[in-house]
Amino acid sequence: MISVTRLLCGVTGPSDDLRYGSDQGAPLRPGPPTRVAPAVVVWNCTHTCNLHCVHCYSDSQNVRYDNELSYKEAVTLIDELAELGVAVLLFSGGEPLMRDNLFDLGAYAKSKGLRPVISTNGTLIDPDTAGRIREAGFAYVGVSLDGLGDTNDGFRGVPGAFGRALRGMRNCKKAGIRVGVRFTLSRRNAGDLDGIFDLVRDEGIPRLCIYHLVYAGRGAALQNDDLSHAEMREAMELICRRTEESAKKNSGTEVLTVDNSADGVYLYLRQLAKDANRAEEIMRLLRVNRGNSSGERIACIDNTGEVHPDQFWRNHTLGNIRDRKFGEIWNDPDNELLRSLRRRTEMVKGRCRACAYLDVCGGGLRARAEAATGDIWAAEPACYLTDEEISG
């Protein structure tokens, strides 16, 4: 996750400690340690979803699934995560609001010192639900909107989903809950990106996360809908321009991009041509962040307790929390995939291996490289930097 607002404009966001360490830029963990406590755990607390999104990485349906973690098992898991030192527990799905005891679990996570947040499609957040989210102590609600009006509804597979999600965000705001928009870029909705910035501005939404498409779950069928490298650069220029405009007006909106570490290098190179001092600060923060962190600073636990390096890698399972504690799975010295991910800069191939910025990018998203090529360590297919740029 790249904070465009922090890197480009120097404006600090509420969760920058997770990405860039302390205010002085000291890393939370200096280099890959032997024992790792991920900063963020994504828990797909249910596989059930009321929508049918075309790019859903978990391929969720509006049915009830067997074998999901019970309330008691979830409480045990939260205890283990708190003991290990995990900072954020992200309740995802499916649609997390379709889990009956979500609010009790959120409140329990907060009581154990975790920062509970929700990733939702927003369509189920009526005023009463917003109140329960606030009372449970959720720190943030991220609502997925993949376009304006019919564009979003086409993604969601349900007419009216856009209006219901917008009402859900407004209900969160009225309840005093920090809310943000999650927008996944593709050729189907890139034309709405500028309008999404307008929406965030007009609604007073304090956060916009712009995701790069990952070819996982139903999203695997959308690989040809991903932006070309030239289109990615155009989108980044629009993102930079709108973020700078927002910062100048002190709008309070934080803009981030997600799932493509090349964005950080792009921001550095863009700023280097304008202000070398600002560019140096960007590079300092990128070195703290170290780019992609699947299998190190981010983990995923699915609805049945299977542990994955991140939420997109359902085809790689590290173990099940019903068999072993999460910390034992996450710090298993005999797990070859985890060992490799934690020295990923030695493992990547092709353009990634030759890149002068590998130490600040981490080789991009390995799940996307594997989906596109069949090779976990192949070059990141979504890297839009030119050969000249990566030569340093």
Side-chain angles (χ1 to χ4, degrees):
M1 187 172 279
I2 305 277
S3 173
V4 182
T5 305
R6 174 71 181 271
L7 297 183
L8 208 58
C9 308
V11 180
T12 304
S15 299
D16 275 358
D17 59 323
L18 299 178
R19 288 178 287 276
Y20 307 115
S22 69
D23 290 340
Q24 290 74 39
L28 293 172
R29 299 174 188 88
T34 356
R35 183 169 175 79
V36 177
V40 178
V41 170
V42 177
W43 177 34
N44 301 107
C45 62
T46 182
H47 201 54
T48 302
C49 186
N50 60 318
L51 302 185
H52 190 84
C53 304
V54 296
H55 59 328
C56 175
Y57 68 77
S58 66
D59 197 14
S60 294
Q61 309 282 342
N62 194 4
V63 297
R64 289 293 174 182
Y65 292 87
D66 295 329
N67 201 35
E68 297 196 326
L69 293 182
S70 68
Y71 177 79
K72 184 177 179 181
E73 288 172 323
V75 165
T76 300
L77 170 62
I78 290 168
D79 287 340
E80 292 174 5
L81 298 181
E83 182 182 357
L84 191 62
V86 171
V88 175
L89 179 57
L90 190 158
F91 290 79
S92 187
E95 171 49 56
L97 289 169
M98 297 190 77
R99 179 166 179 126
D100 294 337
N101 46 33
L102 172 71
F103 306 111
D104 292 334
L105 290 171
Y108 186 73
K110 184 180 180 183
S111 76
K112 300 298 289 187
L114 295 166
R115 190 186 307 172
V117 300
I118 300 177
S119 174
T120 172
N121 61 49
T123 62
L124 301 177
I125 306 178
D126 57 21
D128 178 66
T129 300
R132 296 184 70 190
I133 292 171
R134 183 196 63 239
E135 289 165 10
F138 284 97
Y140 172 73
V141 174
V143 176
S144 295
L145 276 183
D146 291 307
L148 303 171
D150 291 343
T151 304
N152 177 77
D153 292 356
F155 266 88
R156 302 289 161 205
V158 175
F162 175 81
R164 289 162 60 195
L166 187 57
R167 284 194 295 274
M169 287 191 289
R170 289 170 176 168
N171 288 331
C172 283
K173 285 196 65 190
K174 288 176 184 175
I177 302 163
R178 187 167 178 267
V179 67
V181 167
R182 299 157 52 91
F183 176 85
T184 300
L185 264 173
S186 75
R187 284 179 174 162
R188 298 187 181 199
N189 63 5
D192 285 5
L193 178 58
D194 209 22
I196 288 290
F197 271 94
D198 290 341
L199 175 74
V200 166
R201 177 199 63 204
D202 296 344
E203 294 288 333
I205 295 168
R207 196 182 206 212
L208 171 59
C209 292
I210 300 162
Y211 287 72
H212 290 262
L213 183 66
V214 182
Y215 324 135
R218 288 199 288 270
L222 299 186
Q223 187 171 339
N224 291 333
D225 286 341
D226 201 1
L227 300 183
S228 69
H229 290 177
E231 289 166 335
M232 288 180 189
R233 295 177 77 98
E234 288 177 13
M236 279 303 296
E237 274 305 306
L238 189 155
I239 291 167
C240 290
R241 175 176 59 80
R242 293 300 305 260
T243 302
E244 289 170 331
E245 290 173 358
S246 177
K248 285 177 182 176
K249 294 176 181 177
N250 295 315
S251 71
T253 299
E254 180 187 25
V255 180
L256 305 102
T257 66
V258 190
D259 295 330
N260 194 339
S261 302
D263 292 349
V265 180
Y266 183 85
L267 294 177
Y268 164 74
L269 294 173
R270 183 180 185 271
Q271 198 61 31
L272 189 62
K274 300 180 178 181
D275 182 344
N277 290 332
R278 182 70 220 158
E280 184 179 347
E281 171 65 4
I282 291 173
M283 181 54 65
R284 183 180 70 83
L285 294 171
L286 291 175
R287 288 199 173 105
V288 172
N289 182 268
R290 293 185 285 115
N292 179 263
S293 60
S294 301
E296 186 185 343
R297 287 174 291 157
I298 186 167
C300 175
I301 302 168
D302 70 23
N303 59 310
T304 64
E306 300 283 6
V307 179
H308 309 281
D310 65 38
Q311 64 269 43
F312 303 108
W313 260 7
R314 299 304 184 90
N315 56 319
H316 290 285
T317 299
L318 307 172
N320 193 296
I321 63 162
R322 285 170 166 155
D323 302 322
R324 288 190 294 164
K325 289 184 175 182
F326 173 80
E328 293 174 2
I329 296 170
W330 200 247
N331 290 286
D332 184 351
D334 297 321
N335 190 292
E336 180 57 34
L337 178 57
L338 285 178
R339 286 205 310 269
S340 298
L341 285 171
R342 290 166 193 174
R343 55 186 186 92
R344 71 194 74 215
T345 56
E346 303 169 26
M347 305 296 296
V348 292
K349 304 173 184 176
R351 295 180 79 246
C352 287
R353 188 60 176 270
C355 179
Y357 303 105
L358 179 57
D359 63 325
V360 301
C361 171
L365 196 63
R366 297 293 92 212
R368 185 162 44 223
E370 182 183 30
T373 69
D375 183 353
I376 289 175
W377 303 113
E380 162 66 272
C383 177
Y384 50 84
L385 302 172
T386 67
D387 289 343
E388 182 181 6
E389 285 171 333
I390 69 170
S391 69

